[in-house]
Amino acid sequence: MMHIVYMDNNATTKVDPQVVEEMIPYFMESYGNPSSMHILGGQAGIKLKEARVNVAGLIGAQPEEIIFTSCGTESDNTAIWAALKSNPGKKHIVTTRVEHPAIKNLAEYLAKNGYRVTFVPVDRKGRLDMDFFYESLTDDTAVVSVMWANNESGVIFPIEEIAPVLRDRGIVFHSDAVQAVGKLPVNVEKVEVDMLSLSGHKLHAPKGVGALYVRKRTKFSPFLMGGHQEKGRRGGTENVASIIGLGKAAQLALERHEEVNTRVRALRDRLEKELLERIPNSMVNGDQEMRLPNTTSIAFEYVEGEAILLMMNELGICASSGSACTSGSLEPSHVLRAMGVPFTAAHGSIRFSLSTYNTDQEVEFIIKKLPPVISRLREMSPFWADREGLANAVCSVQ
Ligand SMILES: *Cc1c(COP(=O)(O)O)cnc(C)c1O
């Protein structure tokens, strides 16, 4: 069987075997409903409590401040609706142009339904325009939602700088930290966000489980109304096994934090450096300093990202491109467009996102195999032949 080199960890991660092991008893042995007053309910309930302590521990929160959800998207949606419902007089939202669709699409919906939304731009390196950000805040601002780190470029936003300003102004501050948790030292004791989203499947827990941190003093109202679960803040019988998996993954993430920031970072840096050296007309999208340690988005000019992905797939290399091919239009992603990445570079952008499972040999393999792939594609590319004429074409900024 072909060895799979998986470098698409910002899309999802492998579930850690230790996580699976923790989960298994809660399917067929301790399968009670944690609300039930019998032994099987009790077993599930105790372990649920433990998971809450572990998830809280990963981000420096109190266990009562953690609400388990079905995914990062639910956490994001819950946070925004909670802030709006708690501040019914205020009709303005501030977010960024590069948020994940879980925030972006909700914000666009709200902009069409009675709210005013400011989408703060980013510069060519994907960094937030801070002057624009501060100027956009008003007395009518109900909530600010700024992601901790971007899933495509890996660029980290200055959450710790923004948080105290918003606290002083009494504006609810939510951060989508789905990509940051487990890779960066996210700590809500030190950084005063009011709400923060995380997702299990981005840190080696299963898909379909997430958490929303809600600071004690922050007003909250539930998104899913139903039973008394999660202290009435999120109805629905708990996804016990997955929550237990998330708890274990949180523990492992704390233990592996150092490795992500040393060994994995070094692998990413080597991959990036060697590809840039071996492949002409290639460049990194986004700030190389303030960036997640596992992510690199590299533009290979004058080739189609989808073609690169297909050929890498043949070699067993999994990564992702910077275009939204699902739309059928092959438009570059909203993130690369917001950064003003030139048309010819945005189309050939590939994101490699690593994890602790990656090895030196895998990086070696990509360094060896990718340059000839790019050369071959360029030989067939009309853009490459016509590159002089295309050099100045810039993507339209949304
Ligand atoms: C993956 C991701 C989400 C969505 O999380 P799901 O659990 O897949 O719903 C939200 N925000 C960011 C930044 C992400 O990377």
Side-chain angles (χ1 to χ4, degrees):
M1 218 177 82
M2 182 166 60
H3 176 73
I4 299 290
V5 178
Y6 188 76
M7 293 209 183
D8 201 13
N9 288 278
N10 290 9
T12 197
T13 59
K14 166 176 167 169
V15 181
D16 191 279
Q18 292 184 61
V19 168
V20 176
E21 204 177 308
E22 285 283 307
M23 292 172 66
I24 285 173
Y26 297 87
F27 289 108
M28 292 190 296
E29 289 164 32
S30 306
Y31 53 79
N33 186 321
S35 302
S36 296
M37 301 290 286
H38 48 63
I39 181 163
L40 294 190
Q43 288 167 352
I46 286 171
K47 200 70 182 174
L48 195 66
K49 217 168 164 176
E50 204 181 294
R52 201 181 302 280
V53 170
N54 287 335
V55 172
L58 178 59
I59 59 167
Q62 302 298 312
E64 319 81 75
E65 294 175 314
I66 299 296
I67 300 173
F68 289 117
T69 65
S70 68
C71 58
T73 302
E74 186 192 323
S75 299
D76 284 348
N77 275 249
T78 302
I80 302 299
W81 284 114
L84 296 179
K85 280 189 235 164
S86 312
N87 296 280
K90 298 185 176 182
K91 299 290 178 203
H92 179 226
I93 299 161
V94 176
T95 185
T96 80
R97 283 206 186 165
V98 295
E99 295 296 310
H100 186 275
I103 290 290
K104 179 181 178 274
N105 289 344
L106 174 59
E108 284 170 0
Y109 168 83
L110 291 166
K112 290 192 195 112
N113 288 274
Y115 291 88
R116 191 167 70 81
V117 184
T118 305
F119 293 91
V120 180
V122 296
D123 66 10
R124 183 70 178 78
K125 287 188 163 184
R127 296 169 302 196
L128 209 56
D129 183 334
M130 296 309 289
D131 291 336
F132 190 107
F133 174 77
Y134 288 121
E135 280 162 24
S136 70
L137 303 174
T138 72
D139 292 339
D140 190 41
T141 307
V143 58
V144 169
S145 184
V146 175
M147 68 203 317
W148 202 297
N150 187 271
N151 43 302
E152 287 190 40
S153 64
V155 172
I156 299 166
F157 286 155
I159 302 301
E160 60 281 2
E161 180 194 322
I162 296 171
V165 176
L166 297 177
R167 183 200 52 210
D168 291 348
R169 293 189 58 156
I171 299 171
V172 178
F173 184 24
H174 165 257
S175 182
D176 175 343
V178 170
Q179 289 296 341
V181 172
K183 298 169 191 152
L184 302 174
V186 172
N187 190 319
V188 296
E189 257 176 341
K190 296 198 184 110
V191 179
E192 284 196 51
V193 294
D194 296 294
M195 291 188 270
L196 178 146
S197 305
L198 62 93
S199 173
H201 75 104
K202 304 290 173 80
L203 58 137
H204 306 289
K207 295 161 188 65
V209 63
L212 177 65
Y213 158 81
V214 182
R215 188 174 295 278
K216 262 187 196 139
R217 60 153 197 256
T218 305
K219 278 194 254 165
F220 185 79
S221 57
F223 182 57
L224 279 192
M225 296 183 204
H228 53 82
Q229 293 91 355
E230 302 294 305
K231 294 196 162 65
R233 294 170 299 178
R234 198 271 187 185
T237 302
E238 300 87 343
N239 182 356
V240 177
S242 291
I243 291 170
I244 290 165
L246 178 55
K248 183 66 189 176
Q251 263 183 330
L252 295 174
L254 264 188
E255 288 168 19
R256 291 174 186 169
H257 187 248
E258 184 67 21
E259 187 188 352
V260 173
N261 284 279
T262 52
R263 190 181 69 82
V264 176
R265 180 189 291 275
L267 284 182
R268 187 275 313 267
D269 288 346
R270 169 140 189 264
L271 176 71
E272 181 175 279
K273 182 169 166 284
E274 297 272 352
L275 289 179
L276 293 181
E277 275 174 18
R278 291 168 193 228
I279 302 174
N281 292 79
S282 59
M283 61 191 108
V284 173
N285 297 313
D287 191 66
Q288 283 173 267
E289 299 301 319
M290 283 301 283
R291 187 170 55 152
L292 291 172
N294 77 319
T295 308
T296 177
S297 168
I298 307 181
F300 303 105
E301 285 187 292
Y302 312 109
V303 263
E304 283 294 343
E306 274 61 32
I308 304 171
L309 285 187
L310 278 175
M311 293 185 75
M312 287 204 300
N313 189 48
E314 298 281 300
L315 297 164
I317 303 166
C318 305
S320 65
S321 77
S323 1
C325 51
T326 41
S327 68
S329 62
L330 282 180
E331 273 280 286
S333 77
H334 71 282
V335 176
L336 297 179
R337 276 183 300 173
M339 289 163 68
V341 175
F343 175 85
T344 49
H347 273 284
S349 289
I350 298 292
R351 178 191 67 190
F352 298 93
S353 47
L354 287 70
S355 80
T356 51
Y357 289 101
N358 290 120
T359 63
D360 278 315
Q361 289 77 5
E362 290 177 331
V363 166
E364 203 68 54
F365 183 74
I366 297 179
I367 290 167
K368 201 169 106 210
K369 296 290 184 178
L370 190 54
V373 164
I374 303 290
S375 308
R376 220 170 323 134
L377 288 171
R378 279 179 176 162
E379 280 162 25
M380 300 185 287
S381 163
F383 298 126
W384 179 248
D386 192 28
R387 60 187 179 276
E388 300 287 303
L390 284 165
N392 298 316
V394 175
C395 284
S396 62
V397 174
Q398 203 185 26

